[in-house]
Amino acid sequence: MGNSLSFSLTANEQHRQDMAKMLDMQLDPRGKADCIMIIVIAAVYFIDLLAAIYILYNRKYPPIKCKSPILMSCIIVSAILWFAGDLQANGHVPLANTQLDNCKAFGVWVRVILGVCTVSALVAMRAYGLFRVFGKNRPFRGWGLFLPYLVYCGCMLVYGIVMQVVASRLTIHYIEPIDICFYTPGFKASLFAIIWITWLIVAALNWHIRNIKSSFNEARESLIACTAVFAVLIFTTVMHYTSPQFALNRKLRILTTSFDHLATNIFWWSIMAVPITNCIFRKQRYLDLWVAKLRNDGLQRMYDVSSPGNTAKESSVYQRNSFAPDYFLLRSKVEQSPLDSGYPYFDPMFDQYKFDSSVNAVSFTDQPEQKPTKKKKRVDMW
């Protein structure tokens, strides 16, 4: 059996149909519809990847930085791995005589662990970070933030190892006559349980932070994203149990894969579309409006944006300096909690609560009382 996907019916696909009839199964051959779906979703993810590179390049632009560009970029990478696993698991491409016939490697590790579960974990971690800052007055860093994520990753690692050592007939196995990977009901049940629990946690966290300050409020975006995700989850769960051989049906397999990645893109772009488009087309004007919004939200007490004419000066500093948050000069002593001050930076790999080297690093954790020092003459940056 060959391993090429074609827009037309090949001899190998005809052979699969004949074998399916012998097994009393209905099989739609892979062909034009699968090719078109793969090309369209691949093109979408190519655009997503360019957007991820763009937000990493502009990660110091404050409206982008507050959206967690590192986490959002990791979500795109995991979603691409998820898509690669879907091509195998949902029967879109030939598996025979390729590495794809290793159902556990791609079906468990690539699709489930590195794809579905990692995307869900990163989304949950971002929501939990917002909840820590705005709901519990705690910083977006430290063991309190990362420990739940590490525990989740540890559980997923154990899950993957168990699935690897358990006999294939109990989890996922390759059916050679029809060239497809088959998931057992027990394995699917465990997978759906993990995904449902994770997204219910995400929904609960988003509900708790729905009334945070408008500069960082994502209630509308979260509602759109959660609605799309839960609609797809309901459809996929019902379809997997009512039509367990959906991968043999052309319409069902294409709908399943397309809906999965439509939901992922709706979530991602509902959060990133506004800052990315404004950064591209009206970078300076949007920055001015964004700083003005900080002032209207009462955040000027923490950042040096209190005077009515500061916006233009702040923006000019941003233009001249490669360090984006230079105009967010923290005062010498932190007097408020993050809930009151309200401007967290959500890139844990860059230590969100410390600013660039051009500005004195300040943490939002409790600061020890400092002895008064002799006041130095301030040099006006402008």
Side-chain angles (χ1 to χ4, degrees):
M1 190 176 293
N3 59 355
S4 60
L5 183 64
S6 173
F7 277 85
S8 59
L9 180 64
T10 64
N12 295 312
E13 288 303 310
Q14 184 62 57
H15 177 70
R16 288 180 68 229
Q17 277 190 306
D18 296 338
M19 294 301 296
K21 288 179 180 179
M22 293 176 61
L23 297 172
D24 196 23
M25 302 170 71
Q26 181 67 36
L27 183 148
D28 293 332
R30 306 173 180 118
K32 182 177 180 180
D34 295 278
C35 289
I36 293 173
M37 186 215 70
I38 292 171
I39 292 170
V40 170
I41 297 180
V44 170
Y45 274 123
F46 178 73
I47 296 172
D48 292 346
L49 197 57
L50 292 179
I53 294 172
Y54 183 81
I55 65 174
L56 289 176
Y57 181 78
N58 292 277
R59 65 182 179 274
K60 292 184 181 295
Y61 181 62
I64 287 180
K65 190 169 186 179
C66 73
K67 297 294 184 181
S68 311
I70 298 296
L71 287 181
M72 297 303 287
S73 299
C74 289
I75 288 173
I76 289 298
V77 174
S78 292
I80 292 173
L81 293 175
W82 179 2
F83 175 56
D86 272 352
L87 295 181
Q88 180 230 45
N90 293 345
H92 296 290
V93 294
L95 311 182
N97 303 322
T98 71
Q99 295 298 320
L100 294 173
D101 65 3
N102 187 338
C103 294
K104 286 189 175 180
F106 284 89
V108 176
W109 291 99
V110 175
R111 181 177 184 250
V112 176
I113 306 297
L114 298 178
V116 180
C117 292
T118 300
V119 168
S120 302
L122 290 171
V123 172
M125 179 174 153
R126 185 177 183 275
Y128 178 61
L130 288 167
F131 174 69
R132 276 177 60 84
V133 172
F134 294 104
K136 304 181 72 175
N137 291 354
R138 295 178 183 176
F140 193 93
R141 62 184 178 89
W143 285 107
L145 172 66
F146 292 107
L147 186 59
Y149 179 73
L150 294 176
V151 170
Y152 184 92
C153 291
C155 292
M156 290 301 97
L157 181 61
V158 172
Y159 177 82
I161 293 173
V162 170
M163 293 299 107
Q164 190 69 40
V165 299
V166 171
S168 297
R169 60 184 176 82
L170 300 176
T171 55
I172 177 175
H173 56 276
Y174 179 60
I175 303 177
E176 186 175 356
I178 56 175
D179 189 35
I180 204 163
C181 289
F182 177 75
Y183 288 75
T184 62
F187 177 74
K188 287 193 291 187
S190 64
L191 173 59
F192 280 116
I194 293 170
I195 298 174
W196 272 99
I197 291 172
T198 304
W199 277 95
L200 287 173
I201 292 173
V202 171
L205 292 171
N206 282 323
W207 174 260
H208 280 294
I209 58 176
R210 67 190 184 280
N211 294 322
I212 64 177
K213 291 182 180 295
S214 62
S215 299
F216 313 99
N217 190 300
E218 296 178 355
R220 181 176 57 186
E221 294 87 342
S222 297
L223 177 62
I224 294 172
C226 287
T227 301
V229 169
F230 281 109
V232 171
L233 269 178
I234 292 171
F235 168 80
T236 305
T237 304
V238 172
M239 187 273 303
H240 268 268
Y241 284 96
T242 57
S243 302
Q245 297 178 357
F246 74 94
L248 305 181
N249 184 297
R250 182 186 299 110
K251 291 181 180 179
L252 287 181
R253 67 172 178 256
I254 289 176
L255 282 176
T256 301
T257 302
S258 300
F259 283 169
D260 283 348
H261 300 283
L262 175 64
T264 303
N265 276 271
I266 287 175
F267 163 78
W268 202 87
W269 285 103
S270 66
I271 293 174
M272 297 306 306
V274 172
I276 287 177
T277 53
N278 281 284
C279 185
I280 294 173
F281 296 109
R282 51 170 197 163
K283 190 172 187 177
Q284 192 57 44
R285 176 169 172 74
Y286 183 65
L287 180 61
D288 293 343
L289 295 172
W290 194 80
V291 174
K293 194 173 185 180
L294 286 179
R295 184 183 298 112
N296 293 336
D297 286 343
L299 308 185
Q300 74 278 7
R301 292 177 296 172
M302 192 62 172
Y303 301 101
D304 193 15
V305 292
S306 55
S307 62
N310 261 9
T311 303
K313 294 192 292 183
E314 291 153 358
S315 302
S316 64
V317 170
Y318 176 77
Q319 282 184 318
R320 298 196 307 266
N321 199 314
S322 61
F323 295 103
D326 275 1
Y327 61 92
F328 288 117
L329 299 176
L330 283 177
R331 301 189 185 280
S332 60
K333 183 178 179 181
V334 177
E335 297 176 352
Q336 295 170 304
S337 69
L339 185 63
D340 294 325
S341 60
Y343 186 74
Y345 285 125
F346 299 131
D347 290 335
M349 294 183 66
F350 288 110
D351 195 357
Q352 294 309 106
Y353 285 88
K354 290 189 178 180
F355 289 81
D356 299 298
S357 58
S358 59
V359 183
N360 292 333
V362 180
S363 172
F364 279 109
T365 56
D366 294 337
Q367 301 292 321
E369 194 72 27
Q370 297 180 355
K371 296 180 180 179
T373 56
K374 185 177 179 181
K375 186 175 181 181
K376 295 182 180 180
K377 183 177 180 181
R378 179 177 177 179
V379 178
D380 192 352
M381 296 176 61
W382 300 285

